[in-house]
Amino acid sequence: MATLIPDAERNYLADQEAARITHLSLHEGSPGVTGANEAAGGSPAYARKAVTFNAAGAVGPLGASAQPATVGVAWSSEVTFDVDAATYSHWGAWSAASAGTFRQGNVLSSSQSPTGQAQIKLSIGVGPFAGA
């Protein structure tokens, strides 16, 4: 039997998850459960980026075509990373700009492989019931 969870509860849980995330990261491989393979180097140097989230279930800050109102999903602002030449395949979410607690990570919608110093833009949606 499927678990029945009202939309208001899905949105509440997504908001709780988003509130624990303050920074996003890029990774050159799977971050696993520890935040491994985080990007480094470059000039200007790579650094985690501060992020904010809208209320779950509402259209995200990038607009309805990029971040449609989705029950159980809180959309993030867009952040821009300075990166060195490498292949970036995953993102991560953290509780701090350095060190901190790794909250989650996943694959990028498509890997990015700049051949020199570049910028990569990223925004994510979080929530335990994404796509619900």
Side-chain angles (χ1 to χ4, degrees):
M1 184 171 136
T3 302
L4 302 175
I5 301 172
D7 290 354
E9 183 66 10
R10 292 172 191 246
N11 288 339
Y12 171 81
L13 292 170
D15 286 337
Q16 296 304 303
E17 186 172 346
R20 297 169 9 116
I21 297 168
T22 63
H23 289 77
L24 296 181
S25 58
L26 282 177
H27 298 259
E28 296 178 37
S30 173
V33 297
T34 63
N37 300 309
E38 187 170 0
S43 181
Y46 164 83
R48 291 180 195 164
K49 297 298 178 178
V51 66
T52 58
F53 289 86
N54 73 302
V59 172
L62 300 181
S65 61
Q67 298 176 328
T70 305
V71 173
V73 176
W75 293 106
S76 81
S77 56
E78 185 174 68
V79 298
T80 302
F81 294 95
D82 292 302
V83 296
D84 205 358
T87 296
Y88 302 94
S89 57
H90 291 72
W91 59 266
W94 296 84
S95 67
S98 62
T101 302
F102 180 69
R103 299 291 187 199
Q104 63 178 284
N106 208 336
V107 297
L108 296 172
S109 56
S110 63
S111 292
Q112 305 283 320
S113 299
T115 57
Q117 185 71 24
Q119 292 186 323
I120 295 177
K121 294 180 185 269
L122 175 67
S123 66
I124 64 167
V126 297
F129 301 102

